[in-house]
Amino acid sequence: MQTLKNDVLTVQVAEHGAELQSIKKGATEYLWQGDPAYWGRRSPVLFPIVGSVWEKRYRVDGVEYELGQHGFARDMEFELVSETETEVRYRLVSTEETMKKYPYQFVLEIAYRLHGNAVDVIWDVANPSADKDLHFQIGAHPAFFYPDYDAQTSERGFLSFDRSEGLQCIRIKEKGCVDAETKYPLEIPENGLFPLAVDTFDAIDTIMLQDGQIGCATLHRTDRTPWLSLSFDAPVVGIWSPPTKNAPFICLEPWYGRCDRAGYEGDYRDKDWINRLAPGERFSSVYTIEIA
């Protein structure tokens, strides 16, 4: 476990999955602590897929492979590359074992940088192959405590976005895959605050906003004051809390990718929201968690 610290925040990260483990401001913990009664993870990085492939199978150049939800990086040991008081970096490199389920060479680096009341989460993906394109998805899945959680009440707070009109979401259809054609309006009240309640996710499971509709999401307390925010340039965002469990947390998830369309049986390179790197190319991105 590595610890980053400044005058405002203390952050901990584990080498297993290069996963964020804690964000504290004083004695207050903001990051969900992984109780398996609700959801046993905290902030896994999703790679090389986001969500599910149809029937847990996908095809590359006519060869079929199996891959579980969200890929394998979150369950692997990363190498610690560098560490300072305010920044830490990890690396995962393709192996013979990863090639059996994902037939691409890759170098994945994940870094965390602390500044003021914010944490930058940095992703770098490189294609070390001399002659083959790399296709991949990558995404975040951080979970944050509801600041005023009370299991005996229904209110959980509010969300606001940097856009409040004309938002449309898509939904899971079956087997973890989406109906990409049907769009549902996400109605935001005139005050700009989308109310969160104990049953918000019971019928819809995940709110998915794609096509870069938003670039910032803020979680508010029940008294409407800001608690924390995420800013990002990812084209797809998922918002989730375990349905029907009265869970104490919500996930705000920037994604470069998403699950398959229900019934998709095409080539992996042609799936929705896939990223491509030519030999020697590199992908870089950052999203920021800011504590109010």
Side-chain angles (χ1 to χ4, degrees), residues 128-189:
S129 172
D131 56 6
K132 184 176 181 180
D133 288 351
L134 167 61
H135 296 89
F136 71 97
Q137 296 179 329
I138 190 167
H141 203 319
F144 303 100
F145 280 110
Y146 284 125
D148 302 309
Y149 176 77
D150 181 345
Q152 304 307 312
T153 65
S154 62
E155 291 184 342
R156 295 291 175 265
F158 301 87
L159 284 175
S160 67
F161 310 109
D162 55 343
R163 173 184 170 187
S164 59
E165 296 183 353
L167 295 176
Q168 294 185 318
C169 58
I170 59 174
R171 296 179 183 174
I172 298 293
K173 182 179 182 180
E174 58 180 308
K175 299 179 181 179
C177 295
V178 297
D179 171 6
E181 306 304 325
T182 305
K183 308 291 176 62
Y184 299 87
L186 186 65
E187 301 290 351
I188 309 294

Side-chain angles (χ1 to χ4, degrees), residues 228-288:
L228 60 83
S229 64
L230 267 69
S231 56
F232 43 83
D233 62 5
V236 188
V237 179
I239 303 168
W240 175 79
S241 188
T244 71
K245 287 191 175 182
N246 194 5
F249 67 90
I250 187 170
C251 295
L252 306 175
E253 310 176 37
W255 299 336
Y256 289 85
R258 63 151 170 77
C259 57
D260 277 352
R261 296 169 181 250
Y264 181 73
E265 295 184 344
D267 195 279
Y268 178 71
R269 67 169 60 91
D270 298 322
K271 73 191 257 79
D272 294 339
W273 300 108
I274 200 73
N275 304 283
R276 171 190 167 274
L277 290 176
E281 285 189 339
R282 190 178 192 94
F283 164 95
S284 295
S285 182
V286 58
Y287 76 91
T288 299

Side-chain angles (χ1 to χ4, degrees), residues 28-46:
T28 302
E29 177 65 71
Y30 286 76
L31 193 73
W32 168 245
Q33 292 298 287
D35 181 350
Y38 299 97
W39 185 59
R41 300 181 187 265
R42 303 184 186 193
S43 183
V45 177
L46 318 179

Side-chain angles (χ1 to χ4, degrees), residues 168-231:
Q168 294 185 318
C169 58
I170 59 174
R171 296 179 183 174
I172 298 293
K173 182 179 182 180
E174 58 180 308
K175 299 179 181 179
C177 295
V178 297
D179 171 6
E181 306 304 325
T182 305
K183 308 291 176 62
Y184 299 87
L186 186 65
E187 301 290 351
I188 309 294
E190 289 186 6
N191 64 5
L193 298 176
F194 178 76
L196 298 167
V198 63
D199 59 353
T200 295
F201 298 91
D202 288 357
I204 60 176
D205 186 272
T206 306
I207 297 170
M208 272 186 255
L209 299 163
Q210 57 181 22
D211 300 310
Q213 293 181 71
I214 64 172
C216 182
T218 300
L219 178 61
H220 297 254
R221 305 183 67 124
T222 55
D223 67 4
R224 295 175 169 75
T225 56
W227 180 245
L228 60 83
S229 64
L230 267 69
S231 56

Side-chain angles (χ1 to χ4, degrees), residues 4-184:
L4 308 178
K5 192 170 184 178
N6 64 11
D7 293 340
V8 184
L9 300 179
T10 301
V11 170
Q12 290 188 312
V13 190
E15 293 174 29
H16 184 76
E19 183 175 354
L20 193 60
Q21 297 293 298
S22 174
I23 304 173
K24 281 188 175 180
K25 183 178 179 181
T28 302
E29 177 65 71
Y30 286 76
L31 193 73
W32 168 245
Q33 292 298 287
D35 181 350
Y38 299 97
W39 185 59
R41 300 181 187 265
R42 303 184 186 193
S43 183
V45 177
L46 318 179
F47 179 90
I49 60 170
V50 174
S52 299
V53 289
W54 181 246
E55 300 283 11
K56 298 183 179 180
R57 295 179 174 87
Y58 71 105
R59 288 141 296 280
V60 176
D61 298 329
V63 179
E64 188 171 86
Y65 300 85
E66 292 190 17
L67 200 56
Q69 187 182 44
H70 296 321
F72 50 74
R74 61 182 183 168
D75 294 316
M76 296 190 70
E77 296 296 326
F78 281 64
E79 173 194 359
L80 177 63
V81 174
S82 62
E83 180 182 8
T84 69
E85 191 170 305
T86 58
E87 185 169 341
V88 64
R89 179 174 288 268
Y90 305 89
R91 180 182 296 135
L92 182 69
V93 179
S94 53
T95 65
E96 289 185 9
E97 288 304 308
T98 66
M99 294 283 285
K100 292 176 182 177
K101 50 191 172 185
Y102 176 66
Y104 296 97
Q105 297 180 47
F106 67 86
V107 178
L108 168 62
E109 293 190 353
I110 300 171
Y112 298 88
R113 180 172 58 221
L114 186 59
H115 54 97
N117 64 332
V119 184
D120 290 339
V121 183
I122 303 158
W123 299 326
D124 290 299
V125 182
N127 181 4
S129 172
D131 56 6
K132 184 176 181 180
D133 288 351
L134 167 61
H135 296 89
F136 71 97
Q137 296 179 329
I138 190 167
H141 203 319
F144 303 100
F145 280 110
Y146 284 125
D148 302 309
Y149 176 77
D150 181 345
Q152 304 307 312
T153 65
S154 62
E155 291 184 342
R156 295 291 175 265
F158 301 87
L159 284 175
S160 67
F161 310 109
D162 55 343
R163 173 184 170 187
S164 59
E165 296 183 353
L167 295 176
Q168 294 185 318
C169 58
I170 59 174
R171 296 179 183 174
I172 298 293
K173 182 179 182 180
E174 58 180 308
K175 299 179 181 179
C177 295
V178 297
D179 171 6
E181 306 304 325
T182 305
K183 308 291 176 62
Y184 299 87

